[in-house]
Amino acid sequence: MTAIRLPTTRSPGSALGAAPDVAESAEAYGTTGGYAGTTGPDALLGHLSASGLRGRGGAGFPAAAKLRAVRDQGGVPVVVANGEEGEPGSVKDRWLLRARPHLVLDGLALAAAVTGAVRGYVYLSDPEAGARVRRALAEREPDLPVEVVETAHTYVAGEESAVVRRIGGGPALPTAKPPRPFERGVGGAPTLVSNVETLARIALTAAHPELRGTIARSTLVTVSGGNAVPVLTEVPYGIPLRTLAAGHGIPDAAGALMGGLFGGLVDARSLDLPLEPGALAAAGTALGCGAIRFLAAGACPVATAADAVGHLAAESTRQCGVCVSGTAAIRDTVHALAAGTAGPDAPARLERWAQGLPGRGACGLLDAAAATAGSLLLAFPERVRSHLRRPCPDCAATPAGDGHGRRLAVRVPEVADAPPSRVPLSLRPSPVLKGTS
């Protein structure tokens, strides 16, 4: 089971909260400043803009700009808390919905206030998270009508156009863009699809605007790899990847699989990079959803790449022919490398696909497969060449998986039920939904 590691320095602006192993009640959340409604929409938008808060769903788009884009479309917007966590190595979103549903719901209501939305949705695939969110809604009835929408868990079900399609009654499959959801989403209305951690940080900023910089520059990460127990923790931007690896019990890590399956592989030298979106992007990798899998010393990166591309190929929705053929070709070639049966042209073919396939599918799945292949060649060229000369003992000991990402998967930390709240509904404060600061 995944452990939770609290930061050394505790802060009221922490997304982990005071008791991360127990579901937070409305009463407990209220004592931390939640649901207070003291920061108006305009002031909140100013705080978010000044703090530079980025979305935590993977793309890292500025949160204030996304809120403004929905607000400025006109009409009556819709807001969606996106808790569908497709990355097998990430647990933060499901944990937030299980442990701190009121924090997420508060953030959703505040986002509605900023954009002018009058209805909201919580979108997820985890039954336990769904039960906790429904319990939170019953415990404190929100002024904003909120519906919980469940979907089947897949890698692409959380892609924003797939979210809109599923809420509208269709399958959770990506659609061609434009239009994007902020232009025309649920029911044709401008729609904010926001990751649940992003909404949590919006709520924390509203309750503690004096800590806006710290809130924006802290992030939840899921750390796994080696023989260590996976960990969910909160860290500040700027912490070296090597420090994270050492704290995870792998001081001599050989590299990492970054950003879930989206940031690709990096070598040991790259572990001196700071965990900061801009610095990572400049180095050709990504923070993504905050899932980092470190490679233990001696572990073969080809085996890790084989697991990653195998999972992506299995998760292709088969809507785009280029994705079906592209992910399968990358999978088969990397698996052949791992098995020691690849021909001498394998690296050249992987390089060609890494350069030519990104951007050709309806979502980012094909891009992730191509990035994994390209990063393997870039970060570990000698290891790739060695697989062409002779079979790899490490890969032989860990043959390619079944495509379901089980070796990459991390379990959600256990969260106990909250005790019943003692505060009557009539005495609990309501969030600000409309108006100005």
Side-chain angles (χ1 to χ4, degrees), residues 41 67 70-71 74-80 108-121 143-145 189-192 432-435:
L67 287 163
V70 173
R71 181 196 65 184
V76 182
V78 173
V79 289
V80 180
L108 186 66
L110 289 161
V114 172
T115 60
V118 295
R119 59 191 170 113
Y121 296 87
D143 291 341
L144 177 75
T191 300
L192 176 78
V432 175
L433 292 182
K434 293 184 179 181

Side-chain angles (χ1 to χ4, degrees), residues 326-386:
T327 56
I330 293 171
R331 174 202 62 203
D332 293 346
T333 303
V334 177
H335 282 193
L337 274 174
T341 60
D345 63 337
R349 285 187 286 122
L350 290 175
E351 176 65 26
R352 184 172 69 251
W353 293 326
Q355 295 296 323
L357 290 179
R360 296 182 61 188
C363 67
L365 186 147
L366 179 59
D367 294 20
T372 301
S375 66
L376 175 64
L377 299 174
L378 184 64
F380 300 99
E382 180 50 41
R383 295 299 294 266
V384 171
R385 286 192 290 269
S386 71

